[in-house]
Amino acid sequence: MDKNSYVAGEVAQIHVDVNNQSVVDIHNFVVKLVSVITLKGSDATRNVSDSLRLIDTVCKNKYGGCPASDRRSKDVPLNLTCKRDYTEHELQPSTTGSIVQCSHHVNIEMQVPWAPDIEIHAPVQIYAAQNKEWQQWQPPSWVSQCVRTPSVVTGPYGAVTEMLSSEAFSGIPGF
C-alpha cells in the first residue's frame, strides 16, 4: 500500500506481487476494504458487560490472477468510498472510543482452486474528510456594521482591557 492512513474518499494504491510457484492457476484476486464496528455495553448493577461486532465489506474490486509457475506484479486502485444501492456515501472514520470503536483493514484474497484462499489483512486508518461547508464559510456582510457595546466582566471569567486590545484580538470585529 502506498500509505497506511487515508482520508475518506481518497484512492488507495495497492501493489500486489504474486509469485505463483504452484502447478495451479490463480484465477483472480480480490482487494476489499473491510470495516469492523464494535459496540460495547455494560450494566454495573448486574456486573455484566457485553460487546457486539459488526463486520462489513465497504468496497471491493476483482482483478485477473496469475498462471501456474508465473509471477505477476500489479498496482491496483481501491476507491475508499461506501457504495450502497448504487449511491455513494461517505466512509466513516476510524474511532477508538470506549463504547463505539470502528477499525478498517484491507484484505487481499488470492482465490486458488481446490485450496483455501490465501489472504493478507493490512490495517488502515481512515480519517474524516474536511467539512466543505465550513471550508468556504465567509462572515455575513452585516458583521462589519456591528457596534460593540462596552461591558465589564469581572470574576474568574473576566478579561482585562489591555488583553482584549492586544494584537491577538486585532483581527476580530468588535475588539
Side-chain angles (χ1 to χ4, degrees):
M1 294 178 59
D2 56 340
K3 53 187 180 175
N4 62 0
S5 60
Y6 298 89
V7 174
E10 279 188 301
V11 177
Q13 294 297 325
I14 301 166
H15 180 76
V16 179
D17 191 13
V18 180
N19 186 2
N20 187 359
Q21 297 178 355
S22 72
V23 295
V24 177
D25 292 343
I26 297 174
H27 295 297
N28 55 53
F29 68 93
V30 176
V31 177
K32 57 185 168 180
L33 177 68
V34 177
S35 177
V36 179
I37 299 174
T38 305
L39 306 172
K40 295 182 179 182
S42 64
D43 184 352
T45 59
R46 293 187 303 175
N47 199 21
V48 175
S49 63
D50 199 6
S51 65
L52 173 68
R53 288 178 58 141
L54 307 168
I55 301 172
D56 186 26
T57 299
V58 177
C59 54
K60 128 174 134 172
N61 293 334
K62 189 182 237 184
Y63 299 96
C66 181
S69 303
D70 196 5
R71 182 180 190 140
R72 295 276 167 96
S73 185
K74 184 180 249 185
D75 290 321
V76 296
L78 185 62
N79 194 357
L80 302 177
T81 56
C82 253
K83 293 188 177 175
R84 302 262 187 257
D85 303 325
Y86 305 105
T87 60
E88 202 168 286
H89 301 280
E90 189 171 305
L91 181 62
Q92 296 304 310
S94 303
T95 59
T96 56
S98 60
I99 298 173
V100 177
Q101 297 174 352
C102 181
S103 63
H104 301 88
H105 58 272
V106 172
N107 284 1
I108 302 171
E109 300 173 357
M110 298 290 164
Q111 299 176 341
V112 183
W114 306 296
D117 291 347
I118 300 168
E119 296 184 15
I120 297 173
H121 304 274
V124 65
Q125 186 79 20
I126 305 292
Y127 293 101
Q130 283 186 332
N131 186 335
K132 295 175 185 163
E133 292 177 22
W134 279 97
Q135 198 172 20
Q136 298 182 15
W137 182 83
Q138 293 292 324
S141 59
W142 53 263
V143 168
S144 61
Q145 300 169 2
C146 293
V147 178
R148 182 173 73 99
T149 305
S151 60
V152 177
V153 178
T154 58
Y157 302 109
V160 293
T161 306
E162 293 80 27
M163 184 177 73
L164 295 176
S165 59
S166 71
E167 189 177 322
F169 289 88
S170 65
I172 302 172
F175 287 101

